[in-house]
Amino acid sequence: MMTAGLALHTDKYQINMMYAHWINGSHNTKAVFEAYFRKLPFGNGYAVFAGLERIVNYIQSLSFSDDDIAYLAKQEEQYKPEFLEELRRFRFKGSIHAMKEGALVFPNEPLIRVEGTIFETQLVETAILNFMNFQTLIATKASRIRQVAGDDTLLEFGTRRAQEADAAVWGARAAYIAGFHATSNMLAGEKFGIPTKGTHAHSWVQTFRSEQEAFDIFAQVMPDQVTLLVDTFDTLKSGIPNAINTAKKLEAQGKRMNAIRLDSGDLAYLSIQARKMLDDAGLDYVRIVASNDLDEGTILDLKAQGAKIDTWGVGTQLITAADQPALGGVYKLVEREVDGKMVPTIKISANPEKVSTPGKKEVYRIISNGSGKAIADYICFPHEEMPPENGKLKLFNPLHPYMRKNVKNFEAVPMLTPIFIQGELVYELPQLEEIRAYHDTQLDQFWPEYLRKLNPEIYRVNLSEEVWEVKQRMMAELMEHSED
Ligand SMILES: Nc1ncnc2c1ncn2[C@@H]1O[C@H](COP(=O)(O)OP(=O)(O)OP(=O)(O)O)[C@@H](O)[C@H]1O
Ligand SMILES: O=P(O)(O)OC[C@H]1O[C@H](OP(=O)(O)OP(=O)(O)O)[C@H](O)[C@@H]1O
Ligand SMILES: O=C(O)c1cccnc1
């Protein structure tokens, strides 16, 4: 498990740029970077921001150990010893603003803003993107699964097929933020306080002379918690009848079996049959858990088929975000120091969508006072007054001029929260339950058309006129220069 000692969890080019800045004497030049993604994953209408706690842990313990320095000293770049001494003294002294975990977030808005020297802001790029991209991706995937599952219980079962330990543990946390109810991963339970749940494997049944014996023994050990896996031999002919026998034996002791688990075959048909068999035996309280490569599509389909499943165990498809295994979040320089003053900077691309938006920016969520619902996200410079003095806000999309809207009677909620100010942690990390509750209030702030899984409405993310003008001016200037 990767814990402390993540200073070298960065790409070599960051160290090389730090070195070149140091040689050049420009390493203390101030810089502002913003992290954002350009495209929502899974065709969803929103993403669920996650990763901040890991980022905070990382920044707080960011220092180069003796081993790190020794390793750097061996590189073919032959970094000078004085540079390595500089790294040995290194502490992050910059400022970080970020969305809160559980926030609904949208393309092209800054999710994390990092300010400091070019030296420190460059170093942290790789790890910040790594944590933000993965955890936001899994939280968003979990949110989609939660939508189709309605009020059913969702268990995260992915560890054995996750892309290694960190992904399993932090992925379990991301899934919990977005509405999963428990995880099978005990370390995630211990570390974060996520409720843990477990049934048993086929091997439990296989180690006994009979399925009945296996069920009875397991049920005696933890009677009220027990969930019996019924598909080792024949679900309808042996698994469910044996589970019913066990449940009856428990009843005779005044105890109640929790559930059965189906893990193969036609889960719609089998769950309907199982429900009937359990109900006919007077066991209407015994619930039905299903697992087996479940995903949002299969769950939706199973529900449409009338499956009688109360609890869904979801592993591989969730923890690997199998239908889109990466979120393409980027970290772009938006301001740099020139002669002691901060000036906006832009990155041009042949693809207009990839042109970065210059200048350090704030994000406001514009909430209608009438409906309490979000109207748009509004990106402006920190010096721009929000809400404007006249109380009116012009929302415009210069690429689609017909999409103009004037809003009055709104609240402008600042979305970027101070996390570190000049190296000091100023944010109290919320309890996981608070994050989960915050996520629910976030969902409540959006009309259903933005939340639906299929072909959601595109939520507005608008630039202020000033930001737009600066961007246009800088693009035009660069074009002029390139024509020379
Ligand atoms: N009624 C159903 N409608 C749609 N999908 C289903 C239904 N029942 C099960 N599934 C899904 O179909 C897939 C079936 O997987 P698979 O072909 O491996 O069969 P299996 O029953 O698991 O067989 P095995 O016994 O070999 O494990 C799983 O992803 C499962 O969730
Ligand atoms: O299918 P997933 O969504 O990834 O969910 C987790 C799966 O992992 C287990 O199977 P596995 O064959 O690994 O072990 P078992 O012997 O306990 O069935 C479990 O029975 C589920 O089928
Ligand atoms: O508890 C379970 O049933 C479980 C846990 C992990 C993976 N599959 C199933």
Side-chain angles (χ1 to χ4, degrees), residues 196 218 259 273 276 329 385:
T196 50
F218 204 58
Q273 293 304 314
K276 199 168 165 332
E385 199 182 354

Side-chain angles (χ1 to χ4, degrees), residues 263-269 292-294 298 301-302 305:
D263 189 48
S264 59
D266 183 330
L267 296 173
Y269 173 74
N292 188 15
D293 212 23
L294 291 170
T298 25
D301 220 59
L302 284 163
Q305 294 168 55

